[in-house]
Amino acid sequence: MVASCFAELLGERVDLTAGEVAALARLEERTREVRRGAILQRENEPCGELFVLRRGLMMSYVLLDDGSRQILRFLFPGDLIGVPGMIYRDSPEALAALTDCTVCPFEKTMLSQLFEEHPRLAALVMALNQVERVALTDRLAALGRTSAKARVAALLLDMRNRLRFADKAIGDTFTLGLTQEEVGDATGLTAVHVNRMLRQLEEGGLIRREAGRCTILDERALRRAANYVDRYERLELGWLPTAR
Amino acid sequence: MVASCFAELLGERVDLTAGEVAALARLEERTREVRRGAILQRENEPCGELFVLRRGLMMSYVLLDDGSRQILRFLFPGDLIGVPGMIYRDSPEALAALTDCTVCPFEKTMLSQLFEEHPRLAALVMALNQVERVALTDRLAALGRTSAKARVAALLLDMRNRLRFADKAIGDTFTLGLTQEEVGDATGLTAVHVNRMLRQLEEGGLIRREAGRCTILDERALRRAANYVDRYERLELGWLPTAR
DNA sequence: CGAATCATTGAGTCTGGTCAAACATGGTGG
DNA sequence: CCACCATGTTTGACCAGACTCAATGATTCG
């Protein structure tokens, strides 16, 4: 096993030096197990720590007054999670495990140490923040201006791509690992309507579903229906400072 | 005039050293004027530069296939804009001026220099990125899970707060400076429906409108209607590395 | 003063929500 | 192995919030 899951993720983008790898490994010295369904961080409760997600699938979400939930983001191994804890006393979002997970908690002072000692890593972390930011604005535009069908299609494509990033063996068939209610909470729809949209996509020959697995039959058409752009591709990182 | 608009914004959060102020001033050595209505950066076109917004109100937005527009964010003096240009060759979002503006373009290599020489500023920039990220997720939740009235109310509160941040003299009355179509494109509604929601807020005694100005009559009720939290307040920055 | 942009209002439509029931699935304990 | 329960999926009938289209006022600007 690699020393650091986060280093592995960053290593996809740039060649890390031994010193950088060592610094990143320090973020993952401790581990904690989180059971499927368990809540790692509740909304509006103090958040002293940040985490690296090492294993499993998690989500961040908020609950509204009327009890409805908006899922903000799905979290994959290598993701830095609970980052808003860096600047707020109480967490603006909740973190929960969708599968059994392993997380590595670390103190926020570790981050400032990273910034001092490894400017290139700091810049890289900020670059990945930007990727996340752009992915969020894509979803914002989807919620504001696209149809229910397009939002569901976009979610399927995004999940497939992110699952594939972790497991290169994944092709056009994958296990979504979400209930239709969760898909609805991510796309701003009801579970019932998600079901109808999945059916439409299936009837249109864009996807096939069987036994909890989903196959993308016509990726081009699905991308068109979804207005989807993969933001994790083709990053320009030539401007990064030199490694230390 | 202060050397740097960005320094002024950061200076609201921490006491900057002379060296830091000087480094920030280098981001704003050049200036460019942008006319009201002009587009500084088109979507999907190469974006070589980043900018500091020095004067005026701008917005970032995306256009969808069907011609509709989603406004992602309104931009105020001191904001770093076009940041996604840091990692993508082509801009994922457009930038346009809502009033006559002054911007300060700078190269992305300037950023890496900042990261190397001023780790505290790098951390601070990242912290402000997080504020922006959380503000975006608030809007995501609003678009996904709240009513039209709530979204319009949230926009009013947010614009008032951000205008007040720049001009402390602003109280409960302010000039919104947006057309109802722009409000709609920011909230995922049509201009017609925005008009009806404003009317409802006015009839409910929450706001008053006259001659393009808006007065918040019952801030508590408006906050409640909007589910609004000001994310620009109460940041915890004690963990920042020491200044250089 | 005319043209253009923006705000307002009404009538009718449609996308997506609500409610409720039936159906599938999988895990559990007897 | 099977009955049972909990959870999740599917489907139908109906409803409502938000959209569309269209017309009329109000402002602003040249």
Side-chain angles (χ1 to χ4, degrees):
Chain A
M1 180 145 131
V2 180
S4 157
C5 211
F6 190 35
E8 211 171 323
L9 185 91
L10 298 184
E12 297 266 350
R13 312 296 186 182
V14 299
D15 290 323
L16 299 171
T17 66
E20 286 174 333
V21 171
L24 291 170
R26 295 197 49 208
L27 300 180
E28 298 177 41
E29 283 173 348
R30 291 182 291 149
T31 69
R32 188 185 306 169
E33 296 299 314
V34 189
R35 268 317 148 56
R36 174 169 191 276
I39 295 176
L40 175 59
Q41 169 74 59
R42 244 171 257 277
E43 204 178 335
N44 297 319
E45 290 191 2
C47 46
E49 300 168 312
L50 312 195
F51 308 88
V52 175
L53 176 53
R54 168 163 295 204
R55 178 182 66 93
L57 177 62
M58 298 189 71
M59 63 175 172
S60 68
Y61 63 90
V62 293
L63 295 176
L64 307 211
D65 292 345
D66 64 355
S68 65
R69 173 175 70 172
Q70 175 66 51
I71 294 177
L72 302 174
R73 190 169 143 80
F74 295 107
L75 305 162
F76 290 79
D79 280 348
L80 220 47
I81 68 182
V83 184
M86 192 169 89
I87 47 167
Y88 297 109
R89 195 177 68 85
D90 296 333
S91 177
E93 65 194 36
L95 297 171
L98 290 164
T99 65
D100 289 347
C101 292
T102 309
V103 299
C104 304
F106 65 90
E107 300 295 322
K108 46 193 175 185
T109 50
M110 296 289 284
L111 256 197
S112 68
Q113 208 176 330
L114 202 69
F115 272 69
E116 290 206 271
E117 293 168 10
H118 293 282
R120 188 174 77 145
L121 290 181
L124 196 49
V125 168
M126 184 170 158
L128 292 184
N129 278 172
Q130 288 303 315
V131 174
E132 188 187 328
R133 206 215 74 143
V134 173
L136 273 176
T137 59
D138 284 347
R139 294 191 52 218
L140 190 77
L143 291 197
R145 290 300 189 208
T146 75
S147 69
K149 198 203 270 198
R151 292 184 231 169
V152 172
L155 180 137
L156 292 178
L157 282 166
D158 195 48
M159 289 298 286
R160 198 277 309 260
N161 288 351
R162 297 198 68 191
L163 288 168
R164 184 155 64 182
F165 195 85
D167 176 359
K168 309 298 184 195
I170 289 175
D172 286 334
T173 297
F174 60 103
T175 304
L176 188 52
L178 301 176
T179 66
Q180 293 179 2
E181 185 175 2
E182 284 156 354
V183 174
D185 286 346
T187 53
L189 301 169
T190 57
V192 172
H193 206 59
V194 167
N195 184 284
R196 292 196 250 258
M197 295 302 102
L198 287 171
R199 172 154 315 285
Q200 276 191 29
L201 290 172
E202 191 164 25
E203 279 168 3
L206 303 193
I207 64 170
R208 183 170 47 220
R209 291 177 303 149
E210 50 212 351
R213 295 176 64 76
C214 178
T215 302
I216 294 177
L217 294 176
D218 186 347
E219 179 158 351
R220 194 153 311 258
L222 201 59
R223 281 185 120 88
R224 216 168 333 106
N227 227 262
Y228 181 76
V229 180
D230 188 340
R231 300 301 188 180
Y232 296 84
E233 290 180 335
R234 286 201 301 280
L235 305 186
E236 309 247 321
L237 297 172
W239 56 274
L240 291 176
T242 53
R244 244 177 235 179
Chain B
M1 177 149 128
V2 180
S4 158
C5 209
F6 189 36
E8 210 171 323
L9 184 91
L10 297 184
E12 298 266 349
R13 311 296 185 183
V14 300
D15 290 323
L16 298 172
T17 66
E20 286 174 333
V21 171
L24 291 170
R26 295 197 47 207
L27 299 181
E28 297 178 41
E29 283 173 349
R30 291 182 292 150
T31 69
R32 188 185 307 169
E33 297 299 313
V34 189
R35 266 319 147 57
R36 174 170 192 275
I39 296 177
L40 175 59
Q41 169 74 58
R42 243 171 258 277
E43 203 178 336
N44 297 318
E45 290 192 0
C47 46
E49 300 168 312
L50 313 195
F51 308 88
V52 174
L53 176 53
R54 167 163 295 201
R55 177 182 66 93
L57 176 63
M58 298 188 71
M59 61 175 173
S60 68
Y61 64 91
V62 292
L63 295 176
L64 307 211
D65 292 346
D66 64 356
S68 65
R69 175 176 69 172
Q70 176 67 51
I71 294 177
L72 302 174
R73 190 169 144 80
F74 295 106
L75 306 162
F76 290 79
D79 281 346
L80 220 47
I81 67 182
V83 184
M86 192 169 90
I87 47 165
Y88 296 109
R89 194 176 68 85
D90 296 333
S91 177
E93 65 194 36
L95 297 171
L98 289 163
T99 65
D100 289 347
C101 292
T102 309
V103 298
C104 304
F106 66 90
E107 300 294 323
K108 47 193 174 185
T109 50
M110 297 287 286
L111 257 197
S112 68
Q113 209 176 332
L114 202 69
F115 272 70
E116 289 205 271
E117 292 168 10
H118 294 281
R120 189 174 76 145
L121 290 181
L124 195 50
V125 168
M126 185 169 156
L128 292 184
N129 278 173
Q130 288 304 314
V131 174
E132 188 187 327
R133 206 215 74 141
V134 173
L136 273 175
T137 59
D138 283 348
R139 294 191 51 219
L140 190 76
L143 291 198
R145 290 299 188 208
T146 75
S147 68
K149 200 204 268 198
R151 291 183 230 168
V152 172
L155 181 137
L156 292 177
L157 282 166
D158 196 46
M159 288 297 288
R160 198 279 308 260
N161 288 352
R162 298 198 68 191
L163 287 167
R164 184 155 63 182
F165 194 85
D167 176 359
K168 310 297 184 195
I170 289 175
D172 286 334
T173 298
F174 61 102
T175 304
L176 187 53
L178 301 176
T179 66
Q180 293 180 359
E181 185 176 0
E182 284 156 354
V183 174
D185 286 347
T187 53
L189 302 169
T190 57
V192 172
H193 206 56
V194 167
N195 184 283
R196 292 195 245 260
M197 294 304 103
L198 287 170
R199 170 155 317 284
Q200 276 192 30
L201 290 172
E202 190 163 26
E203 280 168 3
L206 304 193
I207 63 169
R208 183 170 47 221
R209 292 177 302 149
E210 51 211 352
R213 294 176 65 74
C214 178
T215 302
I216 294 176
L217 295 176
D218 186 347
E219 178 157 352
R220 195 154 311 258
L222 201 59
R223 281 185 119 88
R224 218 168 332 105
N227 227 262
Y228 182 76
V229 181
D230 189 342
R231 299 300 188 180
Y232 296 83
E233 288 180 336
R234 286 200 301 282
L235 304 187
E236 309 247 322
L237 297 172
W239 57 275
L240 290 176
T242 53
R244 243 177 237 178

